[in-house]
Amino acid sequence: MPVTGQDGGVLLHGILRRAASMQKLEQALTAEGYRVLNLDYPSREQDLAQIVDGLSAPITAFEAELTGNLHFVTHSMGGLVARAYLNRCRPKRLGRVVMLAPPNEGSEIADLLRRNWLYRSAFGPAGGQLATQRSEELCHLLGEVDYPLGVIAGDRSLYVFASLVLPGPNDGRVSVERTRVAGMSDHIVLPTSHPLIMRDPEAMAQTIHFLRHGRFRR
């Protein structure tokens, strides 16, 4: 799927983050010829449905300016935001989607902490939706993955406590296994951590490769 000069990419950051956390990715995609919309959204104040409602107008306006395809690149909870958005507001010329360290099947960290008032205060309504057990309403919101999706997971952790809680290889916030989702096109694991994966040179290179070719470079 070559860049036409009007292909665009929407970047969606993770919870407790801002658009600035995706700046290196924005620069990398811009250098490759993509137009980029790097969005801020209120990750701590709203649940996923409310976040999607707020993103509809800017993404629709951005899409209208393009003559090519519209791709999505996300970090962490931004992957769930993208799934909910694409389930509700599928662009007519949807390209490909890359998710970095997404809690596609939730996180055991959220299971452990979601009833803790400090966690609820810091992570807000969307934080409670990151658990591994999901309501029927949330499953309906996220929908099925029926579009080209590449998932990049990390297997290095900066958090000793979290690594004791998470089963198997993990990035300190999400286990590699729970980054997977039915319907994805490709999946790779890189030696990087959850808070740094969107700045990792190999992760950025693999993101661009997937957007162009629909598969990761092996």
Side-chain angles (χ1 to χ4, degrees):
M1 190 175 293
V3 178
T4 66
Q6 286 294 310
D7 271 31
V10 174
L11 304 186
L12 296 172
H13 61 81
I15 197 165
L16 298 184
R17 297 275 183 166
R18 301 298 300 271
S21 69
M22 305 289 276
Q23 186 175 25
K24 285 190 177 296
L25 257 175
E26 179 181 0
Q27 293 169 346
L29 290 171
T30 300
E32 291 293 322
Y34 294 91
R35 294 189 63 183
V36 180
L37 178 64
N38 187 6
L39 284 169
D40 268 321
Y41 65 89
S43 64
R44 298 179 59 237
E45 287 79 36
Q46 298 178 344
D47 63 22
L48 291 173
Q50 293 169 320
I51 290 169
V52 168
D53 289 341
L55 294 178
S56 179
I59 294 178
T60 299
F62 181 67
E63 180 187 5
E65 299 172 356
L66 304 174
T67 57
N69 300 302
L70 180 61
H71 310 280
F72 287 75
V73 179
T74 71
H75 173 235
S76 192
M77 192 186 77
L80 302 187
V81 174
R83 285 176 59 185
Y85 182 86
L86 295 176
N87 189 39
R88 279 191 176 184
C89 314
R90 181 75 59 96
K92 293 180 179 179
R93 296 187 307 276
L94 176 63
R96 293 172 174 142
V97 182
V98 177
M99 296 180 181
L100 307 175
N104 272 316
E105 297 300 327
S107 170
E108 290 85 357
I109 299 295
D111 290 347
L112 181 67
L113 298 178
R114 64 177 177 167
R115 291 183 176 84
N116 181 283
W117 74 269
L118 285 174
Y119 176 87
R120 295 199 306 271
S121 176
F123 287 81
Q129 296 176 298
L130 301 180
T132 60
Q133 297 297 316
R134 289 179 170 158
S135 67
E136 183 177 343
E137 179 183 13
L138 180 56
C139 291
H140 180 72
L141 175 68
L142 296 177
E144 296 182 357
V145 172
D146 56 358
Y147 40 83
L149 168 63
V151 176
I152 303 178
D155 65 357
R156 298 293 187 272
S157 175
L158 302 178
Y159 312 102
V160 176
F161 170 75
S163 295
L164 295 174
V165 174
L166 291 164
N170 65 84
D171 64 5
R173 287 293 179 261
V174 184
S175 65
V176 168
E177 189 59 31
R178 290 197 174 274
T179 64
R180 300 178 183 274
V181 62
M184 64 184 179
S185 307
D186 204 354
H187 184 279
I188 58 170
V189 182
L190 300 179
T192 187
S193 64
H194 194 85
L196 300 179
I197 191 170
M198 65 285 202
R199 301 186 182 99
D200 182 83
E202 179 63 14
M204 290 190 288
Q206 291 284 7
T207 294
I208 292 167
H209 193 275
F210 186 91
L211 293 183
R212 289 193 178 279
H213 303 289
R215 64 185 184 278
F216 293 120
R217 181 182 60 202
R218 294 309 200 286

